[in-house]
Amino acid sequence: MIPLLEQARTAFVASLHVWGVSFAIVTAIELLAPRSRYPVDGRLHGLLFWTIWLAISALTYALFRGIWATIGVAPLIVLPTGARWAGPLAVVVAPILGALVYDFFFYWCHRAQHRWLWRYHAVHHSIREMSAVNAWHHPVEPLLQVLLIAIPTSLIASEAAPVVPVALMLMQLQSQFIHSPTRWHFGPAAAVLVDNRFHRIHHSVEERHFDRNFGAFTTLWDRLFGTVWMPARDEWPDTGIAEVDQPRTLRDWVMLPADYDRAVGRNVERTVAAQRI
């Protein structure tokens, strides 16, 4: 038990450093070139939610790695993501290939959340003041990620190990930037790489945008599986969900799934009553 807690503590501290740096970078961009202006102090509860979430995530993944090591689960396939054929360019090609594989499983995990686990994922979609910091998830989602992403990807080995730290940092920056309410975006590269305009559609309050743009790294999987919506140049919808407001307290954050169910139930009752009248 002690080694498990020590691993979780080490992972938590490392995550705090990585996330702290990326939060600072993307928040600076948001403040320098805002497209939507949200109060700076509104990000404070986001920092609290993320700190708790990272601790839960570190413990969950440490437990997963401990179980996997104990039962001796080995990869079933090895992907040639080392890209030796690319020579010096392997330092670029390898992490891209690895990110594509990860994003494939993330895409299907994300679709499962919308289909079967929405009351928990609704926490993420409830955010109306969306930014790099205000893009939190419900505290049960690390467990869902282990089941739907970590387990399948653990069965696939990669040759890209030397560039993994840099790749993970870049993907972390991207995962926060895609929630950023800034005028900056990826320009022509947004045709293949997810940016804030593309992902904003996914969080839109407009029904025509529902269940679109599930990818977090590339637009490829959305294109391939028919869920893509490429935003128009000035398409920048409001975000949130109609049933509940974004969490403002720890209680709201943890209990939003139950609050969402109650709100939906009340809406159904009102609809039935109106039909009777």
Side-chain angles (χ1 to χ4, degrees):
M1 188 63 179
I2 298 301
L4 173 65
L5 293 176
E6 181 58 29
Q7 290 175 20
R9 187 195 69 81
T10 301
F12 173 62
V13 172
S15 295
L16 282 179
H17 285 105
V18 172
W19 286 64
V21 170
S22 53
F23 276 151
I25 292 172
V26 181
T27 299
I29 292 172
E30 294 172 359
L31 298 177
L32 286 170
R35 181 160 184 171
S36 296
R37 295 182 181 273
Y38 303 127
V40 175
D41 59 0
R43 295 171 167 86
L44 295 179
H45 52 268
L47 290 174
L48 174 62
F49 297 163
W50 275 124
T51 300
I52 297 171
W53 191 93
L54 287 173
I56 295 171
S57 180
L59 183 59
T60 302
Y61 275 85
L63 181 61
F64 162 69
R65 288 190 292 268
I67 293 173
W68 243 225
T70 299
I71 62 180
V73 176
L76 299 178
I77 53 178
V78 177
L79 295 177
T81 52
R84 294 187 182 90
W85 51 268
L89 290 178
V91 71
V92 175
V93 175
I96 290 176
L97 292 177
L100 284 171
V101 173
Y102 177 87
D103 201 50
F104 173 81
F105 288 102
F106 174 86
Y107 173 90
W108 285 109
C109 172
H110 201 172
R111 290 193 65 170
Q113 288 174 305
H114 278 247
R115 180 67 182 273
W116 295 294
L117 302 163
W118 173 249
R119 62 171 53 85
Y120 300 102
H121 192 56
V123 172
H124 184 57
H125 278 263
S126 70
I127 301 167
R128 299 176 183 180
E129 300 172 4
M130 193 170 70
S131 65
V133 173
N134 285 350
W136 58 80
H137 296 263
H138 192 268
V140 304
E141 290 212 9
L143 176 59
L144 302 178
Q145 292 173 0
V146 164
L147 295 174
L148 299 177
I149 300 178
I151 288 178
T153 55
S154 72
L155 303 178
I156 303 173
S158 168
E159 296 177 348
V163 293
V164 163
V166 175
L168 290 177
M169 184 63 195
L170 291 176
M171 289 183 69
Q172 179 60 42
L173 278 168
Q174 184 185 11
S175 72
Q176 295 179 3
F177 179 75
I178 64 178
H179 297 98
S180 180
T182 177
R183 294 194 305 271
W184 294 7
H185 53 80
F186 289 169
V192 292
L193 293 176
V194 173
D195 69 357
N196 54 337
R197 294 188 306 171
F198 183 88
H199 193 65
R200 185 91 177 183
I201 296 299
H202 181 72
H203 282 263
S204 173
V205 297
E206 299 178 27
E207 189 171 351
R208 62 188 178 137
H209 295 147
F210 290 178
D211 294 328
R212 298 285 187 171
N213 298 3
F214 289 95
F217 169 67
T218 178
T219 66
L220 171 64
W221 307 122
D222 284 291
R223 293 179 183 277
L224 185 61
F225 298 113
T227 54
V228 70
W229 181 294
M230 296 306 297
R233 182 170 183 174
D234 295 321
E235 197 168 14
W236 187 259
D238 290 333
T239 64
I241 55 179
E243 293 81 3
V244 292
D245 189 13
Q246 69 181 53
R248 308 285 179 177
T249 66
L250 281 174
R251 183 266 168 209
D252 294 343
W253 179 48
V254 174
M255 296 304 296
L256 187 139
D259 293 341
Y260 176 85
D261 284 345
R262 281 193 292 270
V264 170
R266 287 193 296 269
N267 290 339
V268 170
E269 290 174 359
R270 282 195 290 265
T271 300
V272 171
Q275 289 173 345
R276 287 174 179 170
I277 293 173

